[in-house]
Amino acid sequence: MNANETATGKRATAILRSRPFLTVAIVIAVWIGASFASPGFGAYGHLRYLIELAAVIGLVAAGQTFVVIAGGIDLSVAAIVTVSAVGLPMLSWQADPTGLTAILAVLAMTTAIGLVNGLGVALLRVHPMIMTLAMATFLQGLLIIIAGGSAVTAENLLVKWLGNARPAGIPAGILLWLAISAIMLVAMHATSFGARVFALGANPLAASLSGVPVSATTMAVYGISGFTSGLAGVLVLGMNGQGYVGIGDPYLLASIAAVVLGGTSILGGLGTYAGSIPGAILLVTITALITVVNASAGWRSILFGSLILGLLLLSGRESARR
Amino acid sequence: MTSTAPLLAARGVSKAFFGNPVLREVSIALLPGRVHALLGENGAGKSTLINLLSGALPPDGGTIEVDGRPVSRMTPAGARQAGIAVVQQELSLTASLSIAENIGLGAYPHRFGLIDYGELAARAKAACDLVGLYEPLSTPVGRLSLGRRQMVEIAKALYRNPRVLILDEPTSSLSATETKILTDLLEKLRGQGIAILYISHRLNEVMTLCQHVTVLKDGICTADRSLEGTDAAGLVRLMVGRDPGDLFPQWQSSPSVTPAVAVRNLSAGLMHDVDLDIRTGEVLGIGGLVGQGQEDLLLGLYGAIPARIASATVNGVSGLPGGVPKANALGLAYVPADRKREGLHLIHSIVTNLMLPGFARLPALKPRSRRAEREAAGRLAAQFGIKGDLGRAAQALSGGNQQKVALAKWMPHDPLVLLLNDPTRGVDVETKREIYHMLRNFAAAGKAVVLLSSDTPELVHLCDRVAVIREGRIVAMLERGGLSEEAIVSAAMGADRQKVAA
Amino acid sequence: AANCIKGDRKAPYTIGWANIYSVPTWMKQTQGTIEAEVETLKKQGLVDKLVVTDAQGDANVQIQQIQSMIDSDVDAIILIAGSSTAPARVLADACAKGIAIINFDSLVDTDKVTAKVNTDSSQWGDQAAKFLIDAIGGKGKILILNGPAGVSVSDDRRKGADAELKAHPDVKILAETNTPYNVAPAQEAVTSLLFANPEIDGILSLGGALSAGAVLALDKQGREQVPITGENARQFLELWKEKGLKSWATMQPNWLGAFATYVAVQALEGKDVPAFVKIPLPVIDNSNIDQYLARAADFPADGYIYSPYDQALFEKLLAGK
Amino acid sequence: MTSTSAQQAGALYWPVQGRRNMGVRGLFVVVLAFLVAYGVLFPGLFTASGFAKFTQSWFPLALVAMAQALLMLTGGISLAIGAMVSLGAVIAATTMAGPLGVAGGTAAVSLAGLGIGAMTGFIVVRLRLPAIVVTLAGSFIIGGAALLILPRPGGAIPDWLSNLLAGNTPAAFALLVVIIVLWKLYLATPLGLSLYAAGENPVGAYRSGVPVDGARIAAYAISGLLSTGAGLFVAAQTGSGDPIIGAAFTLNSIAAAVLGGIGFLGGQGTMRGALAGSLLLSLMISVMFFLGFTPVAQYVAQGLIIIGAVAIPQLRKGQQ
Ligand SMILES: Nc1ncnc2c1ncn2[C@@H]1O[C@H](COP(=O)(O)OP(=O)(O)OP(=O)(O)O)[C@@H](O)[C@H]1O
Ligand SMILES: Nc1ncnc2c1ncn2[C@@H]1O[C@H](COP(=O)(O)OP(=O)(O)OP(=O)(O)O)[C@@H](O)[C@H]1O
Ligand SMILES: [Mg+2]
Ligand SMILES: [Mg+2]
């Protein structure tokens, strides 16, 4: 009885001290502070909009979190988002009025791009940074060919629905994010696959000697990253009504920042997507905050950096490794 | 004699990690010209004590004294100036630097502010000669086997011409031959009036080398006395607080004729053209000087490094496994020697470490049950005597306990062939006994064990046969009847080449 | 002869097109006009080759590529600069080699070029401000949307608006933002600004994609559209019509590329070309927007509907009329 | 006595160097092939001015690659390299033509680099915050400062300095040689070699008496100096300042370092590798130009080249 109580107490303090929780607390504190300064900022509609924006970053960060935990990094996510958002309208063929087939086709393509990344990292032993940077470069070349050619307005019902519908008052994008988050968290923390990813990132040599299928796991995480980036591209297309070259650009740094702000170690092996979720929300919140501040571009940039640094000081101690 | 002041001493020092006391009011005094043994089970606090003595950690209470004077804040640099050198249990080497640069690290000779490579080469060479390290000084340490790295670590301590030399399990991955070199050397240094603190789980070494012993149990000093008139059993009694049984189990040889693994003309890494049969029901020892290719033999069989063969069968399937997952599926399991780099995920909890081979083999999307994992890990921990909170990161475990985790994690999978690379490295005597029993029971149950060991008595008392390896070849296959430490050592040295050939 | 021209180069010429970044749609359209012009000039035997580089947005790489063009001895370089200062020195080297240099769109602060061809960014800002202030009746609260900070073009457009804004102290600037010239970031910024500022009377936007983003932001929040300035981005023009906006737009015509190519060849042929060819800002308003939208299908959905051009226009511009 | 000691030094020093070359041999071959290709495609490379221009376009990338490699050797990283380059450029362009003059301007640039670098190092090392986020935040702060100093491209560098550093002189190459020699000297000091130890086995290094924190903070300071120095050179090369000129250097510095075999975990790789990586990135641009690649082909080839430069040596290693 007594022992049970202390165990619960221990778990409670562990949760209270955890990075994801701290990040959530910081987000809420920033929201409260900002709505005192500018009442409109804290309006329900605005916060909902911020979360909708965070959904895109959050989707990209889902794959990125997997990759980073596995000890890699994916620099091709921005290009994949763009390829998805620009490529999808070209696939909207008449036969399927819902548009689902086109979405599935695009997601299959972006997942395949991710798998190629994984192939390069696992089999060619190319450093993830180099492999994914090169992939991003390839995709830029591809974009010169495909972009601007035909109309790229989204005539896809499902895409439009995703970008604009609000079932039960909640934007469909947020619902999509919630669903993907649940799947990702389960895959990460409640399956053997997730455990393999952590093992791979913490010590690839030991993981391999313990029988972890290293190549397959590596390919899978990059495949997931391609998939979630592709999904983010679909969502962002729906929200904007139109895809354009460069639409994915903001999501590279944002996804990495969300992952590390959420407490995942960039060295791999430690972390959780549960941190990247508030990390993404924190990021859009700070961006919105500096947007409404009336100051010169230089000062706004300084303010942005200082906020990140300040929040990091509150939450970001790294424990020693090795 | 006894009135000489201690060169280095700890007076009533205490230390706790995250509120868990590890040392409680421990005192120890190192006298010149004396080899002082520090004994205790895994996790007793030995390494922590020497970290306090060498300034790597500050004590929570108590004082450290050098030449009888308390030092207010000891640091590693200060310790070096005071003539204290440490051979760390977890090696302090940098893989990308050369042997010489590692030996000099933190104490480079310099001229005009630059490292004096001439002086460094000369002094590093002298230190290497003392321990019998003959590799070119420019070799990056990362290319050396664990045993050779251990020698570099020792040379690094000697390079500093210490007055006080602290050795934390220096022989844990050395074979009998290298150990002999080291004990002779320590004997000589003692004669020169150096104070030596010696930690080892190999009690016969302690018996031959040391004059005085301090015993730690759960962070408390339980004995501080002369070794005179004590035998190995007495030492164990001091450590565990009860009468020890025999270290090695009694057993009947019961190998079958059916080989679990049979390879012809295997070449992998340093090994070339090896023919080997591993029979079910036997413990097959692998011996030899360190770094002769023994490890590559195991890794080649395990599918972890590329291997060429003329033919092979593994548990009835022909061909060698093409990769570790396949090897696991065929019932092979491998326990590496370098637990930090190859065996464990130090930043992950002990539970996850213990469960990892399971995660690797179960279907990828199979749901995990944390409770079942905790229970399974708890059972393994109890079986192997792994101490500590299983939810904590493996890096918080003492060296010996880490080794137990690396071995224990395979047990739930009931492997048919265990490939063990120095599995008792750094393991305390009680646990060794348990491991030995387990290995023999394992063999008795009709499975096969390959035991690569640097601990020669282990090979003699535990194995049905011992393959001795030199320069990438099996130079002798000693059967149980002909097993002795001398036979193994001489085969390893190449003394009886003729005899084997005949 | 024109600046930099030594008269020792003979047709057919090799033209180097030093692009800063070829991926955006505006650039792709511009490249299209250049290629069409080159085809025409090839037929006339004046040009035999077009060499294209893409600096991938990096001004330092662009310098290196211009250097390579000099090294391979092209006859003319047409250039959109990645920085208004950085290429100055390498251009001086090119000029000294007698290479015709026509700089358009993003200009370099140097006179060591044959000619610069551009609309007037400052005038752009001025006219936009005039329209907006007029449209909101000389007073009210406005937002200013501008392109990236630290870039001359956006800075010039913004500075151009200053005089008008100062002259109307009743026009209150609620906030200014800098975003890339893209729809999504502008939409995000304006959404937050709308929440923070319940009353907004007008939006001074200095880029077409920015305007589209702003209109979408207003629309998504169900707010009434306000007077807004813009550019000839197809998406914006379509929104204008669809939402019945009170609006005004101008453009940076893509045919600047074709024109620059034309000017380069003219200069090489010994024609005297002015050091600065100022392209009058075409204005789109309610009177002519339908003409633009009628041609919309010929342009990419995320592209720009530029005004028509032909040889006669080029000759007229070059003659300074 | 001295001669035997020198002999011994050589006997240790040169084999050590040789071993370090092994990891980057494949890259060296690729770079050499590109150099040869460049020479064949553009014989003007072997004239004084051709060589000068070629080294000038490589030089700033070489500096930032060194700046990044230095940090990565200690297990750190910086996403603020590009902003530091911009800051160096705007400080140079706003001070040198003014009362401070070239000497004062150079001092200001150096102090800014060392100071900001050391401060970053302090935050990362002493406050134990993850380098990647600290420097990400730093990139916004430093970039903002550059915008405050020079809100739009402008400023000026005295002509003579531009001509000296980036005219038809091999000054850039000479500077690079000096910097490499200084680096070698730094590596030959105990603090320098400690970089590797502090990066790879910080606990062991600390226990060996290495000033681990000091070595890491010093690395950040030097890295800052190299970055703002690259900014100064860019300003001289272009004759003016631009507050966003450095943006692309962040990713390129990392790419060059990783291409050159520098690992993320610290202690892996050599500076010569990073320099070769940066040279490849720079050479690639010119060689593709002279091969007449279209932009699409440039993108595709660029991707293939950087993958190939890493993968081919790896595959050969795997086969052995
Ligand atoms: N950095 C640390 N953080 C937390 N706990 C630690 C740390 N270092 C050691 N411990 C704990 O302190 C205890 C003593 O460890 P120590 O390494 O001193 O044991 P040891 O006697 O050297 O054992 P072994 O024979 O296995 O080397 C162990 O229980 C260990 O888990
Ligand atoms: N002949 C020599 N004898 C002794 N010492 C030398 C000799 N030549 C150079 N040294 C010093 O020894 C140091 C060792 O560093 P080293 O040359 O290994 O740098 P490095 O890391 O290999 O270079 P890089 O990183 O560029 O590959 C050098 O910095 C140098 O100053
Ligand atoms: Mg220990
Ligand atoms: Mg080096």
Side-chain angles (χ1 to χ4, degrees), chain B residues 20-102:
Chain B
N20 302 330
V22 170
L23 289 176
R24 278 178 263 209
E25 310 215 349
V26 173
S27 297
I28 192 168
L30 308 184
L31 300 186
R34 185 170 90 176
V35 184
H36 191 138
L38 178 59
L39 299 184
E41 298 180 272
N42 293 135
K46 304 181 293 295
S47 298
T48 306
L49 179 58
I50 67 156
N51 282 338
L52 299 186
L53 286 171
S54 63
L57 289 173
D60 296 341
T63 53
I64 307 292
E65 291 175 7
V66 175
D67 294 323
R69 274 184 301 277
V71 186
S72 59
R73 173 74 178 94
M74 184 79 132
T75 62
R80 178 166 66 78
Q81 255 135 41
I84 301 163
V86 185
V87 174
Q88 303 280 353
Q89 179 178 19
E90 306 300 341
L91 306 183
S92 68
L93 305 176
T94 302
S96 52
L97 295 182
S98 65
I99 293 179
E101 287 163 325
N102 265 292

Side-chain angles (χ1 to χ4, degrees), chain C residues 89-267:
Chain C
R89 283 174 53 84
V90 74
L91 289 180
D93 287 354
C95 187
K97 290 244 162 70
I99 298 174
I101 305 160
I102 314 296
N103 179 199
F104 71 103
D105 185 47
S106 286
L107 303 186
V108 183
D109 298 339
T110 176
D111 46 15
K112 301 279 175 50
V113 295
T114 308
K116 296 183 198 175
V117 171
N118 207 4
T119 54
D120 186 336
S121 297
S122 155
Q123 195 182 344
W124 177 314
D126 183 60
Q127 291 193 14
K130 273 206 182 86
F131 166 83
L132 189 76
I133 291 169
D134 207 40
I136 62 176
K139 62 170 196 207
K141 297 174 179 167
I142 64 165
L143 299 178
I144 300 183
L145 312 183
N146 199 359
V151 176
S152 303
V153 174
S154 37
D155 200 50
D156 284 339
R157 288 183 191 169
R158 176 65 188 81
K159 286 222 174 82
D162 255 352
E164 281 296 321
L165 291 170
K166 290 239 169 68
H168 293 85
D170 288 344
V171 175
K172 187 165 173 269
I173 301 167
L174 292 171
E176 297 197 32
T177 63
N178 298 84
T179 59
Y181 288 113
N182 277 333
V183 180
Q187 186 180 346
E188 289 167 22
V190 172
T191 302
S192 288
L193 287 170
L194 289 176
F195 273 108
N197 302 286
E199 278 174 46
I200 287 176
D201 301 313
I203 297 176
L204 180 63
S205 160
L206 301 170
L210 307 180
S211 316
V215 172
L216 287 174
L218 284 162
D219 191 50
K220 260 209 161 174
Q221 276 190 36
R223 307 245 313 228
E224 212 164 293
Q225 295 290 340
V226 296
I228 184 169
T229 57
E231 196 184 352
N232 63 334
R234 175 173 162 189
Q235 190 184 8
F236 174 63
L237 298 188
E238 285 173 345
L239 282 168
W240 177 345
K241 195 71 192 166
E242 185 189 325
K243 312 279 176 209
L245 301 181
K246 195 171 186 188
S247 193
W248 169 98
T250 180
M251 75 181 67
Q252 187 74 333
N254 297 82
W255 47 257
L256 286 179
F259 182 59
T261 316
Y262 174 78
V263 175
V265 172
Q266 295 301 310

Side-chain angles (χ1 to χ4, degrees), chain B residues 282-407:
Chain B
E282 78 167 342
V283 176
L284 172 65
I286 309 267
L289 298 178
V290 298
Q292 300 292 306
Q294 296 97 316
E295 185 172 78
D296 292 342
L297 174 58
L298 295 196
L299 291 175
L301 291 173
Y302 192 51
I305 60 173
R308 275 181 294 110
I309 43 160
S311 69
T313 49
V314 177
N315 289 327
V317 178
S318 83
L320 282 180
V324 176
K326 295 221 179 71
N328 294 155
L330 287 175
L332 302 187
Y334 173 73
V335 179
D338 189 345
R339 55 190 170 235
K340 262 176 96 176
R341 281 189 5 177
E342 300 172 355
L344 293 177
H345 290 78
L346 292 175
I347 55 178
H348 288 166
S349 73
I350 299 166
V351 176
T352 4
N353 271 286
L354 286 170
M355 293 296 115
L356 183 60
F359 297 139
R361 293 181 64 183
L362 292 171
L365 295 180
K366 183 163 183 342
R368 289 171 61 177
S369 157
R370 302 272 169 176
R371 170 193 289 265
E373 286 166 22
R374 266 200 311 277
E375 285 168 2
R379 279 194 298 275
L380 284 175
Q383 186 186 342
F384 281 78
I386 298 167
K387 291 167 195 137
D389 178 355
L390 297 186
R392 287 258 292 285
Q395 61 191 353
L397 283 178
S398 74
N401 280 305
Q402 287 182 355
Q403 185 65 47
K404 294 183 205 168
V405 173
L407 175 59

Side-chain angles (χ1 to χ4, degrees), chain D residues 186-200:
Chain D
Y186 186 65
L187 265 196
T189 65
L191 199 61
L193 218 47
S194 303
L195 284 177
Y196 280 90
E200 191 192 300

